[in-house]
Amino acid sequence: GAGEDAEKEKLVRISANSKEGREAYKAEMFVEKPVTVLELLERFPSCMPPVEVLLDVLPPLAPRYYSAADSAARGFGSPWAACFSVVESAAGEDGAPPRRGHVTGTLDSALERAGGGDVGKAVGPLVVRPRLPLGTFAPPEDPGVPYVMIAAGTGVAPFRGFVRARAALAKASCAAGDADAAPLGETWLFFGCRHRARDFLYGEELLEAAGTPALTHLRVAFSRCDADDPACLALPGDGASAVRGHVQAAVFAEREAVGKLLRGDERAR
């Protein structure tokens, strides 16, 4: 029919190996964001390739890697935690529907179905393959070595694991009554997030650890903190404080103390 002929003509035009074809492809496929294969098929309903052709063309989904927001020092059998933010994009003016990240959207939906319980029961068994990153992104082997941690958003995930590992170590030393145990080194965590009520990930746990051997100093930067709300920056405890701005503002506010720490101990990280 006429509709099929028009779709065929457009498909031929945007797939032509020419300057005009490339410009037509860009105008059709990248109006606001790249068009997915499903959206392309919906846009050209007369195009009905066999399933085996689609499977041959579509690349396999690459595995997603997330930093563990926990520590093995807590003992075998402890629940494993990961931290992620759901990737979402709004509907486009060209009619493109809103989208959610493949993996983060699936994990978020699973959490909703689990109602805060076992995610595995909501989606079935989850296969987790540990992958050690290149380099030495790990806390010092010597717990007496001081170090500084800087993170924004979900980047705080591995540092939560660092804090938990130190908490478990301090608890074990106390339980063993080891008075001769070497003291834990001084630690700083600078954490940047937008809203205190929504984005202060693991906030209660970090505040509880602040000022203890698990985490000597916690400094938080809230970039969307209401300037008219002084309570936004009020954090409890002696080991925690907050500033308005991004994470670099929190580091700058403590530049003298951090500089003294790094210069005063050649082992410091």
Side-chain angles (χ1 to χ4, degrees):
E4 294 182 3
D5 292 339
E7 289 180 13
K8 180 178 179 180
E9 181 181 347
K10 181 179 285 189
L11 285 171
V12 170
R13 185 171 67 254
I14 66 177
S15 61
N17 186 20
S18 64
K19 179 180 179 181
E20 293 76 12
R22 289 189 291 272
E23 291 177 349
Y25 178 85
K26 185 176 180 180
E28 180 71 28
M29 307 297 284
F30 293 89
V31 177
E32 293 184 20
K33 50 191 174 183
V35 175
T36 66
V37 173
L38 177 60
E39 291 166 357
L40 179 65
L41 294 176
E42 291 174 340
R43 189 171 296 183
F44 299 95
S46 64
C47 181
M48 296 183 288
V51 174
E52 58 268 23
V53 173
L54 282 177
L55 294 177
D56 187 53
V57 171
L58 292 174
L61 286 176
R64 267 56 168 183
Y65 294 103
Y66 299 92
S67 295
D70 216 323
S71 170
R74 298 179 64 221
F76 179 77
S78 299
W80 181 83
C83 182
F84 64 91
S85 57
V86 181
V87 179
E88 295 181 310
S89 61
E93 294 181 0
D94 60 343
R99 299 178 189 167
R100 304 184 85 202
H102 289 298
V103 176
T104 57
T106 300
L107 290 173
D108 186 53
S109 297
L111 287 172
E112 291 179 358
R113 293 197 301 273
D118 188 346
V119 177
K121 293 181 180 179
V123 298
L126 296 176
V127 178
V128 177
R129 293 186 176 92
R131 175 177 179 267
L132 295 178
L134 297 176
T136 56
F137 189 73
E141 293 185 7
D142 180 356
V145 173
Y147 58 93
V148 178
M149 303 167 280
I150 305 174
T154 56
V156 78
F159 296 136
R160 183 209 188 200
F162 289 14
V163 173
R164 287 192 152 197
R166 289 171 62 86
L169 183 61
K171 182 179 180 180
S173 288
C174 182
D178 189 357
D180 297 326
L184 298 180
E186 181 180 355
T187 54
W188 289 77
L189 172 57
F190 294 94
F191 180 21
C193 52
R194 293 183 178 182
H195 304 275
R196 177 172 177 174
R198 300 203 301 266
D199 306 310
F200 189 15
L201 303 175
Y202 310 115
E204 291 185 6
E205 182 177 326
L206 293 175
L207 288 171
E208 184 177 347
T212 72
L215 178 60
T216 319
H217 310 282
L218 171 65
R219 299 294 183 264
V220 188
F222 298 110
S223 61
R224 302 293 175 85
C225 186
D226 188 353
D228 298 324
D229 181 14
C232 178
L233 300 179
L235 298 182
D238 297 331
S241 64
V243 299
R244 185 179 293 107
H246 298 283
V247 68
Q248 56 265 36
V251 178
F252 185 78
E254 299 288 354
R255 61 192 181 279
E256 293 185 4
V258 172
K260 182 179 179 180
L261 173 70
L262 296 177
R263 290 191 300 267
D265 191 330
E266 62 181 12
R267 305 172 303 163
R269 297 182 182 179

